Amino acid sequence: PDGDAIAAAEARNGQLTKPPGALGRLEDLAIWMGGWQGTDKPHADAPQVLIFAGNHGVTAQGVSAFPAEVTAQMVLNFQAGGAAINQLSNLFGARMDVHALDLDRPTGDFTQGPAMDEAEFLMAFLAGWDAVDPGADVLVTGEMGIGNTTSAAAIAYSHYRGAAETWVGRGTGVDDAGVQNKTRVVEEAARLHAFPTGLEALRCLGGRELAAMAGAIARARTLRIPVILDGFICTAAAACLAAEHPGALDHCVAGHMSEEPGHAKLLQELGKEPLLRLGMRLGEGSGAALAIGVLKGAAACQSGMATFAEAGVSDG
Amino acid sequence: PDGDAIAAAEARNGQLTKPPGALGRLEDLAIWMGGWQGTDKPHADAPQVLIFAGNHGVTAQGVSAFPAEVTAQMVLNFQAGGAAINQLSNLFGARMDVHALDLDRPTGDFTQGPAMDEAEFLMAFLAGWDAVDPGADVLVTGEMGIGNTTSAAAIAYSHYRGAAETWVGRGTGVDDAGVQNKTRVVEEAARLHAFPTGLEALRCLGGRELAAMAGAIARARTLRIPVILDGFICTAAAACLAAEHPGALDHCVAGHMSEEPGHAKLLQELGKEPLLRLGMRLGEGSGAALAIGVLKGAAACQSGMATFAEAGVSDG
């Protein structure tokens, strides 16, 4: 981030017509955005929402309440404008792009071997890297992929250990037996691959959509675009970047705390405090997209408010 | 609210392309809005933000870090478009109206007598009642009034008792001695007026802007307009309605949990869970205005998403 821009944004914030600190976290967000965007007047006028979809060989283990065909069906729904993320993207004037990643060629079942070979992993990572619009001023990365909460749980468990069941939730709605089965799958997979971390975890235990989200988040950093992380799956992908390089997620804020129980633990490991807690657990980037409104509010106040001098208000 | 509309909204929600409950609180919000608006497709397309300003005789007790002139200065800032609430109203396409209520005639110092006589109180309440746009589909009520956290604390203490200091915070920024002084004022005032509740509390301990907010909230109920409550002061005004009639705030949702410490207690007493917790403590309706984005998101998903049948998606 740009130290001069941060200093300028802090100075401006101190002159705006409000008691010091009275906008709470909006002030921190505005200064943080200003730092990445290189300005004391940050903006969230051109958000981009990137949705990546992938299919998972691990669905053979019966880890999801929905059939794998739903991934492709939901991609059509995204393209037709019928999903939750379409409504939220439209609401906040976001450009939304959907990338279906080799849906007819699921990743390998990672209880049997790596999810992707190195070429496959690189292709997926680059699909995300190349998908970022350099003209965007805020980025949301979301996903669709039946089976992918199991992938995210395996990645989180492989990085941070603890009891495997603490990383496993109901996903789209499995029952208690389903949760037990997911826990078995997560434990077997992490052990099979000798608890990989970083990009190797993403390759062995991830899905194409997770690799692509990581690629997009990494690319946003090079472009100095602030990123809003979505739920458990997006954050698991992002955690692989943080494992490679501390500070790799400094340009990221957590948009929403998912109901998927592993997400709270993951955010704690990453030191990220979510902007919203509304009990969502849909994926698609929907929690992060809702948080675009918060970033827009932070930017609007920082950039549009009058100073005490401009308004002729006594500053206490 | 309209029971048929609630049933229709619930039925529609169950058919949308997402796992049941996956949009969390957005689903409850959408159904609640639908009930008040009388439709299974709720909307937040025409929000109104009402700002009432008043001056307080109790400032003679030295309860604020800012001079009383700031109330009138900030009204000019609202009219010129320079305050935080202007930026947030513009962001969400809200109509914003500012009503300055007899600023040159502060309320009485309520440590000496009632803040308002009955005629004054009624005028202020009706100013709020009449200010609501019947064409609005969501209402935010906000305030400006140097000294009004002391008024809100006195109202809350008078209704719910406990230790007076638990209702007292720093307002715009008083120091520890200032907090002690506010606590003394709150205790003296509640005792002088024999712990009034309901509209009598609003008259004895309130300010014109608090009475007007209560009037606007009551009027919104007759018009079936959902209301987003703002912070401590707005919620204290609303609590006076709840004390008169249980359920009087069923058409209200809490927008944001203020940093002003009494607000959490007040929301707990009223059984309201805030939508946002971002450490704001500005007033002006700013926390509630930021939550317009959440209501817009809830309405957009409920009203715009495709059903499983429309999208050809398998529903698990």
Side-chain angles (χ1 to χ4, degrees), chain A residues 7-21:
Chain A
E10 281 173 344
R12 176 169 170 76
N13 174 59
Q15 295 163 4
L16 300 176
T17 44
K18 58 175 180 55

Side-chain angles (χ1 to χ4, degrees), chain B residues 273-301:
Chain B
E273 176 71 19
L275 292 172
L276 302 173
R277 293 166 191 254
L278 293 165
M280 298 165 71
R281 51 176 173 79
L282 179 60
E284 303 181 0
S286 55
L290 195 62
I292 293 173
V294 177
L295 263 65
K296 279 182 176 274
C301 289

Side-chain angles (χ1 to χ4, degrees), chain B residues 52 124-133 211-212 214-220 222-223:
Chain B
F52 302 101
F125 189 90
L126 289 177
W129 182 279
D130 290 337
V132 179
D133 176 0
I217 293 166
R219 174 63 170 146
T222 71
L223 294 167

Side-chain angles (χ1 to χ4, degrees), chain B residues 203-236:
Chain B
R203 182 180 79 81
C204 293
L205 303 170
R208 289 191 179 84
E209 76 279 32
L210 280 87
M213 285 191 288
I217 293 166
R219 174 63 170 146
R221 188 175 175 113
T222 71
L223 294 167
R224 293 188 166 186
I225 300 173
V227 171
I228 311 176
L229 299 176
D230 192 43
F232 183 49
I233 299 146
C234 172
T235 308

